[in-house]
Short mmCIF file of all heavy atoms in Angstrom, two decimals:
data_model
loop_
_atom_site.label_atom_id
_atom_site.label_comp_id
_atom_site.label_asym_id
_atom_site.label_seq_id
_atom_site.Cartn_x
_atom_site.Cartn_y
_atom_site.Cartn_z
N LYS A 230 10.02 -2.21 6.70
CA LYS A 230 9.72 -3.57 6.83
C LYS A 230 9.64 -4.45 5.57
O LYS A 230 9.31 -3.84 4.52
CB LYS A 230 8.44 -3.88 7.73
CG LYS A 230 8.45 -3.25 9.08
CD LYS A 230 7.14 -3.42 9.70
CE LYS A 230 7.13 -2.71 11.03
NZ LYS A 230 5.87 -2.77 11.81
N LYS A 231 9.84 -5.69 5.62
CA LYS A 231 9.79 -6.52 4.41
C LYS A 231 8.38 -7.25 4.37
O LYS A 231 8.33 -8.38 4.80
CB LYS A 231 10.89 -7.54 4.34
CG LYS A 231 12.27 -6.90 4.42
CD LYS A 231 12.61 -6.32 3.08
CE LYS A 231 14.07 -5.89 3.10
NZ LYS A 231 14.32 -4.70 2.34
N GLN A 232 7.32 -6.48 4.05
CA GLN A 232 5.95 -7.13 4.07
C GLN A 232 5.30 -7.09 2.77
O GLN A 232 5.75 -6.24 1.85
CB GLN A 232 5.15 -6.25 5.12
CG GLN A 232 5.57 -6.29 6.59
CD GLN A 232 4.76 -5.47 7.39
OE1 GLN A 232 4.22 -4.36 7.01
NE2 GLN A 232 4.51 -5.82 8.64
N ASP A 233 4.39 -7.91 2.61
CA ASP A 233 3.66 -7.98 1.33
C ASP A 233 2.26 -7.24 1.48
O ASP A 233 1.49 -7.32 0.53
CB ASP A 233 3.53 -9.34 0.78
CG ASP A 233 2.84 -10.24 1.67
OD1 ASP A 233 2.51 -9.92 2.83
OD2 ASP A 233 2.53 -11.37 1.23
N ARG A 234 2.03 -6.71 2.54
CA ARG A 234 0.74 -6.01 2.86
C ARG A 234 0.96 -4.68 3.44
O ARG A 234 1.84 -4.48 4.27
CB ARG A 234 -0.17 -6.79 3.85
CG ARG A 234 -0.62 -8.13 3.25
CD ARG A 234 -1.54 -8.88 4.18
NE ARG A 234 -1.76 -10.18 3.76
CZ ARG A 234 -2.83 -10.55 2.99
NH1 ARG A 234 -3.73 -9.71 2.69
NH2 ARG A 234 -2.93 -11.94 2.59
N PHE A 235 0.14 -3.68 2.98
CA PHE A 235 0.21 -2.36 3.53
C PHE A 235 -1.13 -2.05 4.17
O PHE A 235 -2.22 -2.10 3.58
CB PHE A 235 0.44 -1.39 2.28
CG PHE A 235 0.46 0.06 2.85
CD1 PHE A 235 1.50 0.62 3.41
CD2 PHE A 235 -0.69 0.84 2.45
CE1 PHE A 235 1.40 1.96 3.81
CE2 PHE A 235 -0.70 2.22 2.80
CZ PHE A 235 0.24 2.74 3.53
N ALA A 236 -1.08 -1.67 5.35
CA ALA A 236 -2.30 -1.23 6.25
C ALA A 236 -2.20 0.28 6.40
O ALA A 236 -1.36 0.65 7.20
CB ALA A 236 -2.36 -1.96 7.58
N GLY A 237 -3.01 0.99 5.66
CA GLY A 237 -2.97 2.39 5.72
C GLY A 237 -4.23 3.04 5.29
O GLY A 237 -5.21 2.46 4.73
N LEU A 238 -4.20 4.38 5.34
CA LEU A 238 -5.44 5.15 4.89
C LEU A 238 -5.63 5.06 3.46
O LEU A 238 -6.79 4.91 3.02
CB LEU A 238 -5.28 6.64 5.43
CG LEU A 238 -6.36 7.59 4.97
CD1 LEU A 238 -7.67 7.19 5.76
CD2 LEU A 238 -6.01 9.05 5.41
N ILE A 239 -4.61 5.27 2.69
CA ILE A 239 -4.68 5.25 1.19
C ILE A 239 -4.20 4.01 0.60
O ILE A 239 -3.11 3.51 1.03
CB ILE A 239 -3.84 6.43 0.65
CG1 ILE A 239 -4.31 7.83 1.29
CG2 ILE A 239 -3.87 6.54 -0.86
CD1 ILE A 239 -5.69 8.19 1.07
N GLN A 240 -4.99 3.43 -0.33
CA GLN A 240 -4.56 2.19 -0.97
C GLN A 240 -3.55 2.54 -2.12
O GLN A 240 -3.86 3.31 -3.04
CB GLN A 240 -5.85 1.58 -1.60
CG GLN A 240 -5.38 0.25 -2.47
CD GLN A 240 -6.67 -0.41 -3.00
OE1 GLN A 240 -7.78 -0.01 -2.73
NE2 GLN A 240 -6.51 -1.43 -3.80
N PRO A 241 -2.29 2.00 -1.97
CA PRO A 241 -1.30 2.25 -3.07
C PRO A 241 -1.82 1.62 -4.32
O PRO A 241 -2.51 0.65 -4.39
CB PRO A 241 -0.11 1.43 -2.52
CG PRO A 241 -0.37 1.31 -1.00
CD PRO A 241 -1.79 1.14 -0.94
N THR A 242 -1.45 2.31 -5.40
CA THR A 242 -1.75 1.71 -6.77
C THR A 242 -1.04 0.45 -6.97
O THR A 242 0.02 0.16 -6.35
CB THR A 242 -1.34 2.67 -7.92
OG1 THR A 242 0.08 3.06 -7.73
CG2 THR A 242 -2.13 3.97 -7.88
N GLY A 243 -1.65 -0.51 -7.69
CA GLY A 243 -1.07 -1.78 -7.95
C GLY A 243 -1.16 -2.73 -6.77
O GLY A 243 -0.44 -3.62 -6.55
N THR A 244 -2.30 -2.48 -6.01
CA THR A 244 -2.51 -3.40 -4.81
C THR A 244 -3.91 -3.98 -4.88
O THR A 244 -4.78 -3.43 -5.65
CB THR A 244 -2.35 -2.69 -3.47
OG1 THR A 244 -3.32 -1.63 -3.42
CG2 THR A 244 -0.95 -2.15 -3.30
N GLU A 245 -4.19 -4.97 -4.13
CA GLU A 245 -5.52 -5.51 -4.01
C GLU A 245 -5.98 -5.46 -2.58
O GLU A 245 -5.32 -5.74 -1.63
CB GLU A 245 -5.41 -7.04 -4.45
CG GLU A 245 -6.64 -7.91 -4.48
CD GLU A 245 -6.41 -9.34 -4.84
OE1 GLU A 245 -5.58 -9.54 -5.72
OE2 GLU A 245 -6.97 -10.19 -4.14
N LYS A 246 -7.27 -5.02 -2.44
CA LYS A 246 -7.82 -4.91 -1.11
C LYS A 246 -8.07 -6.33 -0.49
O LYS A 246 -8.65 -7.20 -1.17
CB LYS A 246 -9.28 -4.27 -1.27
CG LYS A 246 -10.02 -4.09 0.07
CD LYS A 246 -9.45 -3.02 0.86
CE LYS A 246 -10.39 -2.84 2.13
NZ LYS A 246 -9.65 -2.92 3.41
N VAL A 247 -7.56 -6.56 0.68
CA VAL A 247 -7.74 -7.69 1.52
C VAL A 247 -8.25 -7.23 2.88
O VAL A 247 -8.20 -6.08 3.15
CB VAL A 247 -6.47 -8.55 1.62
CG1 VAL A 247 -6.13 -9.16 0.21
CG2 VAL A 247 -5.29 -7.76 2.14
N LEU A 248 -8.57 -8.16 3.72
CA LEU A 248 -9.09 -7.78 5.06
C LEU A 248 -8.12 -6.78 5.84
O LEU A 248 -7.04 -7.12 6.17
CB LEU A 248 -9.29 -9.03 5.94
CG LEU A 248 -9.92 -8.88 7.31
CD1 LEU A 248 -11.32 -8.35 7.15
CD2 LEU A 248 -9.89 -10.14 8.10
N ASN A 249 -8.65 -5.50 6.00
CA ASN A 249 -8.10 -4.50 6.74
C ASN A 249 -6.66 -4.11 6.26
O ASN A 249 -5.87 -3.44 7.01
CB ASN A 249 -7.93 -4.96 8.27
CG ASN A 249 -9.25 -5.06 8.98
OD1 ASN A 249 -10.26 -4.48 8.49
ND2 ASN A 249 -9.29 -5.84 9.93
N SER A 250 -6.33 -4.46 5.03
CA SER A 250 -5.03 -3.94 4.50
C SER A 250 -5.17 -4.12 2.90
O SER A 250 -6.16 -4.54 2.34
CB SER A 250 -3.89 -4.77 4.96
OG SER A 250 -4.02 -6.15 4.64
N TYR A 251 -3.96 -3.89 2.28
CA TYR A 251 -3.89 -4.01 0.80
C TYR A 251 -2.62 -4.96 0.44
O TYR A 251 -1.59 -4.66 0.90
CB TYR A 251 -3.66 -2.59 0.21
CG TYR A 251 -4.68 -1.66 0.66
CD1 TYR A 251 -4.34 -0.67 1.64
CD2 TYR A 251 -5.95 -1.69 0.12
CE1 TYR A 251 -5.42 0.21 2.03
CE2 TYR A 251 -6.97 -0.75 0.53
CZ TYR A 251 -6.68 0.20 1.47
OH TYR A 251 -7.61 1.02 1.91
N ALA A 252 -2.98 -5.98 -0.32
CA ALA A 252 -1.86 -6.90 -0.72
C ALA A 252 -1.17 -6.28 -1.87
O ALA A 252 -1.69 -5.84 -2.90
CB ALA A 252 -2.46 -8.18 -1.19
N MET A 253 0.20 -6.21 -1.72
CA MET A 253 1.05 -5.73 -2.78
C MET A 253 1.23 -6.75 -3.81
O MET A 253 1.65 -7.86 -3.52
CB MET A 253 2.45 -5.25 -2.22
CG MET A 253 2.41 -4.22 -1.05
SD MET A 253 1.74 -2.57 -1.65
CE MET A 253 3.12 -1.96 -2.47
N LYS A 254 1.06 -6.44 -5.09
CA LYS A 254 1.32 -7.39 -6.23
C LYS A 254 2.76 -7.70 -6.36
O LYS A 254 3.14 -8.82 -6.60
CB LYS A 254 0.62 -6.93 -7.46
CG LYS A 254 -0.87 -6.92 -7.41
CD LYS A 254 -1.52 -6.52 -8.72
CE LYS A 254 -3.01 -6.46 -8.48
NZ LYS A 254 -3.72 -5.93 -9.58
N THR A 255 3.60 -6.61 -6.21
CA THR A 255 4.96 -6.83 -6.20
C THR A 255 5.47 -5.86 -5.06
O THR A 255 4.99 -4.72 -4.84
CB THR A 255 5.65 -6.39 -7.46
OG1 THR A 255 5.31 -5.04 -7.83
CG2 THR A 255 5.25 -7.32 -8.66
N ARG A 256 6.47 -6.40 -4.35
CA ARG A 256 7.05 -5.57 -3.16
C ARG A 256 7.79 -4.44 -3.69
O ARG A 256 8.68 -4.56 -4.58
CB ARG A 256 8.04 -6.51 -2.39
CG ARG A 256 8.74 -5.83 -1.28
CD ARG A 256 7.91 -5.55 -0.09
NE ARG A 256 8.75 -5.02 0.98
CZ ARG A 256 8.55 -3.74 1.46
NH1 ARG A 256 7.53 -3.04 0.96
NH2 ARG A 256 9.32 -3.28 2.43
N ARG A 257 7.50 -3.27 -3.25
CA ARG A 257 8.09 -2.10 -3.69
C ARG A 257 8.05 -0.95 -2.71
O ARG A 257 7.22 -1.03 -1.76
CB ARG A 257 7.49 -1.52 -5.04
CG ARG A 257 6.04 -1.04 -4.84
CD ARG A 257 5.46 -0.56 -6.16
NE ARG A 257 3.98 -0.37 -6.09
CZ ARG A 257 3.38 0.76 -5.56
NH1 ARG A 257 4.06 1.72 -5.25
NH2 ARG A 257 2.08 0.73 -5.57
N LYS A 258 8.80 0.05 -2.81
CA LYS A 258 8.81 1.20 -1.82
C LYS A 258 7.60 2.09 -2.25
O LYS A 258 7.37 2.29 -3.43
CB LYS A 258 10.02 2.03 -1.91
CG LYS A 258 10.26 3.09 -0.97
CD LYS A 258 11.62 3.66 -0.98
CE LYS A 258 11.62 4.77 0.01
NZ LYS A 258 12.94 5.46 0.04
N ILE A 259 6.85 2.50 -1.25
CA ILE A 259 5.73 3.42 -1.46
C ILE A 259 6.20 4.80 -1.35
O ILE A 259 6.94 5.21 -0.45
CB ILE A 259 4.54 3.04 -0.53
CG1 ILE A 259 4.09 1.68 -0.72
CG2 ILE A 259 3.44 4.19 -0.71
CD1 ILE A 259 3.04 1.26 0.25
N ASP A 260 5.71 5.72 -2.30
CA ASP A 260 6.12 7.17 -2.21
C ASP A 260 5.10 7.88 -1.30
O ASP A 260 3.91 7.97 -1.44
CB ASP A 260 5.86 7.75 -3.67
CG ASP A 260 6.24 9.22 -3.76
OD1 ASP A 260 6.27 9.98 -2.73
OD2 ASP A 260 6.66 9.63 -4.81
N SER A 261 5.63 8.32 -0.11
CA SER A 261 4.78 9.00 0.86
C SER A 261 4.18 10.34 0.34
O SER A 261 3.06 10.67 0.58
CB SER A 261 5.59 9.33 2.16
OG SER A 261 6.64 10.17 1.91
N GLY A 262 4.95 11.03 -0.55
CA GLY A 262 4.42 12.32 -1.16
C GLY A 262 3.19 12.05 -1.91
O GLY A 262 2.21 12.82 -1.80
N GLN A 263 3.08 10.94 -2.78
CA GLN A 263 1.87 10.69 -3.50
C GLN A 263 0.81 10.30 -2.58
O GLN A 263 -0.40 10.68 -2.77
CB GLN A 263 2.24 9.56 -4.52
CG GLN A 263 3.10 10.01 -5.67
CD GLN A 263 3.28 8.86 -6.68
OE1 GLN A 263 3.13 7.71 -6.28
NE2 GLN A 263 3.78 9.19 -7.89
N GLN A 264 1.13 9.50 -1.52
CA GLN A 264 0.11 9.01 -0.63
C GLN A 264 -0.48 10.19 0.13
O GLN A 264 -1.77 10.25 0.32
CB GLN A 264 0.66 8.02 0.34
CG GLN A 264 1.07 6.65 -0.23
CD GLN A 264 -0.06 5.82 -0.77
OE1 GLN A 264 -0.37 5.83 -1.91
NE2 GLN A 264 -0.75 5.16 0.18
N ILE A 265 0.38 11.18 0.52
CA ILE A 265 -0.12 12.35 1.25
C ILE A 265 -1.05 13.21 0.41
O ILE A 265 -2.09 13.66 0.74
CB ILE A 265 1.05 13.16 1.83
CG1 ILE A 265 1.68 12.33 2.97
CG2 ILE A 265 0.56 14.53 2.27
CD1 ILE A 265 3.10 12.92 3.38
N GLU A 266 -0.57 13.41 -0.88
CA GLU A 266 -1.33 14.26 -1.74
C GLU A 266 -2.77 13.61 -1.97
O GLU A 266 -3.75 14.34 -2.00
CB GLU A 266 -0.64 14.32 -3.10
CG GLU A 266 -1.35 15.21 -4.13
CD GLU A 266 -0.55 15.31 -5.43
OE1 GLU A 266 0.72 15.38 -5.39
OE2 GLU A 266 -1.21 15.37 -6.44
N THR A 267 -2.75 12.29 -2.20
CA THR A 267 -4.09 11.69 -2.37
C THR A 267 -4.95 11.72 -1.14
O THR A 267 -6.10 11.87 -1.23
CB THR A 267 -3.93 10.17 -2.69
OG1 THR A 267 -3.00 10.10 -3.87
CG2 THR A 267 -5.10 9.38 -2.86
N ALA A 268 -4.37 11.68 0.01
CA ALA A 268 -5.06 11.74 1.30
C ALA A 268 -5.68 13.20 1.44
O ALA A 268 -6.86 13.27 1.93
CB ALA A 268 -4.30 11.36 2.47
#
């Protein structure tokens, strides 16, 4: 999707916590491998 917020278990780096999600400072693809490893 073309969204500026990510609602997930792990906060991606370069984001800001907002109500029930994380605001992306710049729209980019998130690496699922890194997110899984962190989780």
